[in-house]
Amino acid sequence: MHALKNMLPNKNSGKVLTLLGLVASGGLAVQVAAQTALKTPAAKAVEVASGERAAHVEWGYTGPTGPDHWSTLSKDYAICNSGEQESPIDLKDAIPADLGRLAIAWKPLAIRATNNGHTVQYDAPPGSSFAVGGKTYALAQFHIHHPSEHLLDGRRFPLEIHFVHKLTDGGFGVVGVLVANGVGNPTLGKMIAAIPAEEGVTGTGPMIDPRALLPVARGFDRYEGSLTTPPCAEAVDWVVLRTPITASAAQIDRFATFFPFNARPIQPLDRRFLLASR
Ligand SMILES: [Zn+2]
């Protein structure tokens, strides 16, 4: 990420051309550079994300603890309102690039669902991962936003599922799946049925195969961004699938009874590159 930042167009246009050349040839060099540059802030992000201090700070999606005020709630959240590589974004005008194949290797799991007050988080046991562009990310958990956080060419969707993966160096890779209103998804139905009504409670449910939450078409957009919740750490390799899956209106409405609104507003792309798989 900071490797990208050091190649800002107004600083050195020659470097930007080099960067685009690398992206066009597979992007591996860019990723290696970004990974190296990420180490320190990413390690801190993990520390903050899982730390005791951050856990006690109340934040929300509206009013005085809403997104406009996140940075005022804790020193650890400072970047939420000053960062230049934040998420989510409107996925539009992506630059076509050879990003390699998106290889998703998720395994069936038993539902373990926690209502954390902001969303429902489903834990993933070790063993599931995805790989793209020479990096492999280990699935840690997935959760749901209502409505979608990312927009696709300006269009917002009823739901978005985030599959949060971790890199061994401390960074994150999140696969985003947009959910449109349409035919019901039985797997999503089981997940929603397992949401505990009370905050702080963890419930269990039947076995599901998270691959049933993926569209058949695997075209995706990719960019360097952040966690969409405090501490908003800019340590996320985002992969958002361009084809939505569907859920029934009843499923969407049911989810909304637990979480009426848990989407952060879109953030400016600023000087980042949004890339689209060919
Ligand atoms: Zn999320």
Side-chain angles (χ1 to χ4, degrees), residues 56-258:
H56 297 296
V57 179
E58 296 283 339
W59 59 268
Y61 286 99
T62 56
T65 60
D68 290 347
H69 309 286
W70 285 351
S71 65
T72 66
L73 304 175
S74 163
K75 281 180 185 165
D76 294 330
Y77 303 169
I79 203 168
C80 292
N81 299 107
S82 63
E84 295 181 339
Q85 305 201 54
E86 290 291 301
S87 296
I89 61 169
D90 185 358
L91 302 166
K92 61 178 182 183
D93 304 326
I95 304 166
D98 181 7
L99 299 175
R101 195 174 74 90
L102 176 64
I104 294 178
W106 296 338
K107 294 176 179 168
L109 52 87
I111 290 177
R112 191 170 181 280
T114 301
N115 180 334
N116 65 20
H118 304 297
T119 184
V120 54
Q121 178 173 311
Y122 303 92
D123 295 334
S128 289
S129 64
F130 85 91
V132 71
K135 283 204 271 188
T136 301
Y137 306 76
L139 181 62
Q141 49 100 342
F142 47 104
H143 59 265
I144 305 171
H145 294 271
H146 171 268
S148 72
E149 295 205 299
H150 287 94
L151 307 188
L152 190 58
D153 297 320
R155 181 182 170 198
R156 196 179 288 282
F157 289 79
L159 302 175
E160 179 172 344
I161 309 172
H162 287 161
F163 296 87
V164 180
H165 299 66
K166 291 180 178 174
L167 277 168
T168 49
D169 78 351
F172 298 91
V174 182
V175 175
V177 175
L178 300 164
V179 185
N181 196 336
V183 177
N185 182 302
T187 298
L188 193 58
K190 289 174 191 168
M191 288 163 54
I192 293 169
I195 300 175
E198 261 184 79
E199 182 179 338
V201 174
T202 298
T204 56
M207 291 290 292
I208 56 163
D209 187 342
R211 289 170 297 190
L213 302 169
L214 289 167
V216 175
R218 298 287 167 84
F220 62 95
D221 280 3
R222 185 166 184 191
Y223 75 99
E224 302 293 335
S226 75
L227 304 176
T228 65
T229 56
C232 312
E234 297 181 341
V236 181
D237 293 334
W238 274 98
V239 169
V240 183
L241 295 167
R242 289 193 70 87
T243 303
I245 62 168
T246 61
S248 67
Q251 290 176 333
I252 294 163
D253 290 348
R254 180 73 181 141
F255 182 83
T257 62
F258 296 103

